[in-house]
């Protein structure tokens, strides 16, 4: 399988250090994660990298439900909170950010070996980050659209 990784650019009005996009690939190249932080949410430039890193280290379970997702996000929330506490931002902005939280779209992919020739791709998506399977220069499958 050929995997093409694209680069990320911040919005024209923002500095590179506040780019809210993140991606990660596991060392065995079987787990991938992409996050596109929501600009209007506070401190998404810290949230997106934490989400993709966690997915690489501990991907979702196949029977994911709301409580399991909350549990999965718990240590990310704590790390994100610690990170934004170190910022030199007004107290009111920090409090509001913690109240609302960070936001990102997300696409996580796990390639599972099935048999010698076949593999299964398990996808998890939230928002409008997409994956396209292309064969012979044509889109054969897209997720989530």
């Amino acid at each position: 399988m050929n995997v093409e990784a694209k680069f990320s650019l911040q919005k024209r009005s923002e500095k590179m250090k506040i780019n809210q996009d993140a991606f990660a690939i596991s060392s065995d190249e079987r787990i991938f994660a992409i996050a596109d932080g929501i600009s209007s949410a506070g401190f998404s430039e810290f949230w997106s990298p934490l989400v993709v890193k966690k997915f690489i280290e501990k991907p979702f379970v196949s029977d994911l439900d709301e409580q399991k997702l909350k549990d999965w996000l718990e240590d990310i929330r704590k790390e994100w909170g610690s990170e934004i506490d170190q910022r030199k931002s007004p107290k009111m902005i920090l409090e509001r950010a913690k109240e609302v939280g960070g936001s990102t779209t997300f696409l996580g992919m796990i390639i599972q070996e099935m048999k010698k020739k076949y593999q299964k791709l398990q996808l998890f998506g939230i928002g409008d980050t997409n994956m396209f399977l292309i064969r012979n220069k044509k889109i054969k499958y897209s997720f989530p659209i």
Side-chain angles (χ1 to χ4, degrees):
M1 173 181 282
N2 294 328
V3 177
E4 185 174 338
K6 295 289 184 179
F7 66 95
S8 170
L9 290 174
Q10 76 281 4
K11 289 183 175 47
R12 290 178 194 223
S13 62
E14 296 176 348
K15 298 176 184 176
M16 187 61 180
K17 68 180 181 177
I18 54 173
N19 183 351
Q20 292 117 354
D21 302 338
F23 75 94
I25 303 171
S26 65
S27 59
D28 65 359
E29 298 182 343
R30 299 190 74 74
I31 304 172
F32 308 81
I34 303 166
D36 180 6
I38 309 299
S39 301
S40 59
F43 305 101
S44 290
E45 68 271 21
F46 304 116
W47 184 253
S48 296
L50 292 172
V51 171
V52 298
K53 179 181 174 223
K54 172 76 179 264
F55 188 80
I56 297 302
E57 294 170 355
K58 185 179 179 190
F60 299 140
V61 294
S62 59
D63 62 339
L64 186 67
D65 61 24
E66 186 176 348
Q67 186 57 50
K68 288 178 184 174
L69 181 59
K70 284 180 180 179
D71 294 344
W72 187 87
L73 289 168
E74 187 60 33
D75 59 333
I76 298 172
R77 287 184 176 129
K78 289 176 184 172
E79 190 173 346
W80 178 81
S82 295
E83 182 67 40
I84 69 170
D85 280 341
Q86 297 174 32
R87 304 290 124 204
K88 294 178 181 176
S89 297
K91 184 179 178 182
M92 186 172 71
I93 291 174
L94 291 173
E95 287 174 358
R96 178 68 179 149
K98 286 183 181 180
E99 184 180 308
V100 175
S103 296
T104 188
T105 67
F106 175 79
L107 180 64
M109 303 167 273
I110 303 169
I111 299 172
Q112 299 173 336
E113 284 192 71
M114 302 295 283
K115 296 180 180 177
K116 289 183 181 180
K117 189 176 178 181
Y118 299 99
Q119 295 178 333
K120 180 180 179 182
L121 180 61
Q122 188 175 16
L123 300 167
F124 301 93
I126 299 171
D128 62 357
T129 299
N130 301 293
M131 186 280 305
F132 300 95
L133 177 60
I134 300 172
R135 288 201 179 121
N136 300 322
K137 298 183 181 182
K138 293 182 182 176
I139 296 175
K140 295 292 183 181
Y141 180 79
S142 63
F143 178 84
I145 55 170

